[in-house]
Amino acid sequence: MVPGVVEIYSVPKIQASTFANVILNKFSRKLTQDKARGGAQAMLYAVGVTEEDMNKPQIGIVPIWWEGNPCNSHLLDLAREVKQGCQSEDLVGLTFNTIGYDAITMGTDGMRYSLPSRDLIADSIESAQHYDGNISIPGCDKNMPGCVMAAARHNRPTIIVYGGTISAGVRQVDCPGMGFKKGGMVNIGDAFESYGAFLTGSITEEQRIDVVRHACPGPGACGGMYTANTMSSILEVLGMSLPYSASIPATWPEKKQECYRAAGYMKNLLAKDIKPRDILTRKSFENAITIVNITGGSTNAVLHLLAMARSADVPLTIDDFQVIADRTPFLCDLRPSGKYLMEDLHKVGGIPALLKYLLNHSTLIHGDQLTVTGKTLAQNLEGVQELDFTTQDVVRPLENPIKATGHLTILKGNLAPSTAVAKLTGKEGLIFEGVAKCFDVVDDFYPALERGEITAGTVVVFRYQGPKGAPGMPEMLGPTGAIMGAGLGNSVALITDGRFSGASRGFIIGHVTPEAQVGGPIALLKDGDRIIIDAKTRNLEWLVDEATQKARKKEWETSGKRPLRETRGVLYRYARDVAPASEGAYTD
């Protein structure tokens, strides 16, 4: 191996005998071979399918492509590489599309469509996937769980190729107010935090613009262990993507190589009839939850894994996340709470090197789980070198973790009788007690911050932001970024029935259920109420006596329950049908 270069697997030569007497086109042949389907055959000829092609397996290629953000802007180009790979393997690749929609809407009403887009993606692929196999190419956060949910539903051989992580940006001016220098690394998390720093006078307009201008230097998903890279890591550990898919940067040549090679693996899946539900098992989901805790991944993983498991009929509950977190150390020093980006993890061996280390030195990972290579997770790692702790500190050894147990924390208490989800890395502290300041509208928060109303000891509460309330359970990256940028990250907590971006950090509690829209206790809070967040006991307590709680509940009920914000369209349908966040916020 060339120093500094990570090798990815090449497709082994498949003997012709492997495919002898095996029907690879058992679905598409219903259209291409049946004389009664002449209309369908005529349409295929019209789009360039040849007579020879009519005997070949058809593969649906799904880039979650759009031009509007770097996570997805390059995915159509990657789909073309996949299509060429299909041609080289005597497969017919047919490209179709679905929506790509996510982080660019942060802080606007558009963010209400972000989580619903996951289910729209799943529905779209399920509806259109009438081919023999599927190769999906997701980029941003909700793309990946949407692809897995669809795969579990149609259950035809599937490979998911992650579009890749973005490379780091470079600062062009000094930023002493936030402790940064010209030439240093900058990423999208800094762009969100720069606004709070600007509002409170910590940085100048020139410094703010420098961050915004250089945080995203080109294609790829947000570069830390934010939600996109959390989900790509999950896909690889689940076995639904090829080794190294999670960490190869979007612009590296290896990403196009992965796309081209995917068809060889697909042909093998068709021959062996290996389907998503053969790969998506209880043990593979346990592996996925483990890797989220090892890497310090996003709280969105809880929502998505619950929904993905349900689509695959795999039993999984929110309490399972705490059980696994309690036995899993937090090892990776990755943004947002740490120092490094996903690209740095790739340079030291990526997810395969991390898995090899865990398999060799712990019982945290089930190595016997089947993957899209046709081999088990452990077999995929046979030629992989372990992490070298003498040359890198992106990942810590098991005996020297960042935190002895996982950062994902499932809380309960009288403020969250069902559950709430926190991402507590240990750097925030373990207990926070403060006074509530409530916002029913997120936009009201920023003027309050600028006026100096958000001070040390404040528990900022954003409510009516849940799956039904917003509707769509928008992310609170804008407020968390503003709090960090204002220098209040260590002295202010935030609680919401909405979600957080993977780029959010601090003493933050989300996914509070029951949500405010259905009358959960979070709806009954008033400014000045005292709240305790205890990560050690996993309690979220509202320090108001029961008589007051009952009086406020009666007041809320008699004042008239809030009607749904939307009465038509996709958000109305979502609010009407969506399950609680504690169950994965599914809609089917």
Side-chain angles (χ1 to χ4, degrees):
M1 182 183 292
V2 178
V5 175
V6 176
E7 294 180 351
I8 61 174
Y9 285 93
S10 58
V11 180
K13 270 291 184 185
I14 300 174
Q15 301 298 322
S17 59
T18 302
F19 307 118
N21 302 316
V22 177
I23 297 174
L24 303 183
N25 61 338
K26 63 181 181 181
F27 294 105
S28 63
R29 69 200 308 264
K30 296 174 184 178
L31 290 181
T32 61
Q33 304 300 308
D34 189 340
K35 290 182 173 61
R37 305 280 84 79
Q41 293 156 21
M43 293 179 188
L44 289 170
Y45 284 126
V47 297
V49 176
T50 67
E51 192 164 345
E52 182 184 3
D53 290 339
M54 287 290 190
N55 296 310
K56 298 176 182 177
Q58 294 182 357
I59 307 301
I61 303 170
V62 193
I64 316 300
W65 169 79
W66 66 300
E67 291 181 315
N69 78 355
C71 313
N72 300 71
S73 62
H74 61 302
L75 300 186
L76 190 58
D77 293 333
L78 296 185
R80 295 187 179 108
E81 296 291 332
V82 172
K83 190 177 181 75
Q84 288 183 13
C86 286
Q87 291 172 348
S88 73
E89 295 290 342
D90 286 329
L91 306 173
V92 177
L94 296 168
T95 304
F96 64 94
N97 205 3
T98 180
I99 62 167
Y101 184 92
D102 221 302
I104 199 167
T105 62
M106 196 70 68
T108 73
D109 257 6
M111 177 45 62
R112 297 188 298 148
Y113 290 85
S114 173
L115 186 57
S117 77
R118 180 194 72 183
D119 295 69
L120 286 170
I121 289 166
D123 293 347
S124 298
I125 296 175
E126 180 192 3
S127 300
Q129 174 51 36
H130 296 288
Y131 302 110
D132 301 296
N134 179 275
I135 300 176
S136 293
I137 314 169
C140 206
D141 302 6
K142 313 312 169 297
N143 302 178
M144 283 163 279
C147 291
V148 175
M149 290 163 68
R153 293 177 191 174
H154 63 67
N155 201 33
R156 297 184 186 181
T158 297
I159 296 174
I160 301 177
V161 179
Y162 177 42
T165 186
I166 199 170
S167 295
V170 179
R171 293 179 184 272
Q172 302 300 306
V173 301
D174 290 335
C175 188
M178 296 186 74
F180 299 116
K181 293 183 178 181
K182 178 180 178 179
M185 183 267 287
V186 62
N187 80 109
I188 188 65
D190 299 309
F192 283 104
E193 292 183 8
S194 67
Y195 183 56
F198 176 73
L199 279 182
T200 55
S202 299
I203 64 172
T204 66
E205 175 68 356
E206 179 191 15
Q207 292 162 350
R208 187 192 70 81
I209 290 175
D210 178 63
V211 172
V212 172
R213 179 64 185 83
H214 299 105
C216 296
C222 301
M225 189 49 69
Y226 308 148
T227 306
N229 285 326
T230 299
M231 296 310 300
S232 71
S233 301
I234 284 171
L235 293 185
E236 188 171 325
V237 176
L238 279 173
M240 290 301 296
S241 62
L242 298 173
Y244 299 103
S245 183
S247 60
I248 300 171
T251 56
W252 284 31
E254 289 90 338
K255 183 53 68 176
K256 286 188 175 181
Q257 293 168 21
E258 177 193 350
C259 291
Y260 186 84
R261 293 171 177 173
Y265 290 104
M266 173 54 68
K267 196 169 186 179
N268 188 49
L269 293 179
L270 292 172
K272 295 181 177 179
D273 196 30
I274 297 173
K275 300 180 289 295
R277 291 190 179 213
D278 300 320
I279 295 170
L280 298 170
T281 67
R282 167 71 188 202
K283 288 166 78 173
S284 69
F285 275 95
E286 289 179 0
N287 284 344
I289 298 170
T290 297
I291 211 67
V292 174
N293 282 284
I294 291 283
T295 59
S298 168
T299 52
N300 282 320
V302 178
L303 277 173
H304 298 327
L305 282 166
L306 288 170
M308 290 156 57
R310 182 179 180 276
S311 292
D313 290 323
V314 172
L316 191 71
T317 72
I318 196 166
D319 291 327
D320 292 320
F321 287 82
Q322 191 63 59
V323 171
I324 294 172
D326 286 346
R327 69 182 186 223
T328 307
F330 172 27
L331 300 180
C332 294
D333 192 18
L334 298 169
R335 294 272 185 125
S337 63
K339 177 179 178 182
Y340 293 105
L341 298 177
M342 191 65 162
E343 183 177 18
D344 299 307
L345 179 59
H346 184 67
K347 290 174 181 177
V348 301
I351 295 297
L354 176 56
L355 289 174
K356 184 68 172 282
Y357 171 67
L358 295 173
L359 276 173
N360 284 350
H361 300 278
S362 77
T363 58
L364 293 168
I365 295 292
H366 305 293
D368 59 350
Q369 295 304 287
L370 188 62
T371 75
V372 293
T373 66
K375 300 179 180 181
T376 66
L377 200 61
Q379 288 172 334
N380 286 345
L381 302 173
E382 286 175 359
V384 172
Q385 293 182 352
E386 267 195 38
L387 292 164
D388 184 347
F389 295 105
T390 66
T391 60
Q392 63 84 33
D393 61 353
V394 180
V395 183
R396 289 194 187 183
L398 288 160
E399 61 271 17
N400 182 31
I402 296 169
K403 186 171 179 278
T405 57
H407 67 300
L408 287 182
T409 306
I410 309 302
L411 301 100
K412 297 181 182 181
N414 64 2
L415 190 52
S418 178
T419 53
V421 180
K423 180 171 69 173
L424 299 175
T425 65
K427 298 178 181 180
E428 311 84 357
L430 295 175
I431 298 178
F432 190 101
E433 181 172 355
V435 176
K437 186 164 181 62
C438 303
F439 297 92
D440 294 352
V441 178
V442 174
D443 285 347
D444 292 344
F445 162 77
Y446 297 103
L449 178 66
E450 193 169 10
R451 291 191 300 265
E453 296 175 10
I454 310 300
T455 58
T458 301
V459 180
V460 177
V461 178
F462 291 111
R463 57 193 179 188
Y464 296 101
Q465 304 301 314
K468 291 183 179 294
M473 205 179 181
E475 294 178 346
M476 303 290 121
L477 177 55
T480 61
I483 288 169
M484 295 302 298
L488 295 168
N490 294 323
S491 58
V492 168
L494 193 155
I495 296 174
T496 182
D497 52 5
R499 299 182 293 127
F500 295 111
S501 162
S504 292
R505 58 192 177 114
F507 221 121
I508 55 177
I509 314 296
H511 307 203
V512 170
T513 54
E515 62 174 290
Q517 183 69 34
V518 299
I522 193 172
L524 313 180
L525 283 170
K526 292 187 177 181
D527 288 355
D529 288 350
R530 296 200 67 79
I531 295 170
I532 293 181
I533 307 164
D534 190 331
K536 291 190 295 184
T537 61
R538 300 193 293 275
N539 280 335
L540 182 56
E541 292 296 326
W542 173 32
L543 302 184
V544 172
D545 61 72
E546 288 190 17
T548 302
Q549 292 178 39
K550 289 179 181 178
R552 290 192 190 174
K553 180 70 171 180
K554 185 175 182 180
E555 179 186 350
W556 184 86
E557 289 174 342
T558 57
S559 65
K561 296 180 181 179
R562 279 198 172 202
L564 294 177
R565 287 180 62 185
E566 305 294 338
T567 58
R568 290 288 185 275
V570 66
L571 288 181
Y572 165 70
R573 198 162 59 241
Y574 186 84
R576 181 193 65 194
D577 297 341
V578 68
S582 56
E583 298 175 19
Y586 60 82
T587 58
D588 64 325

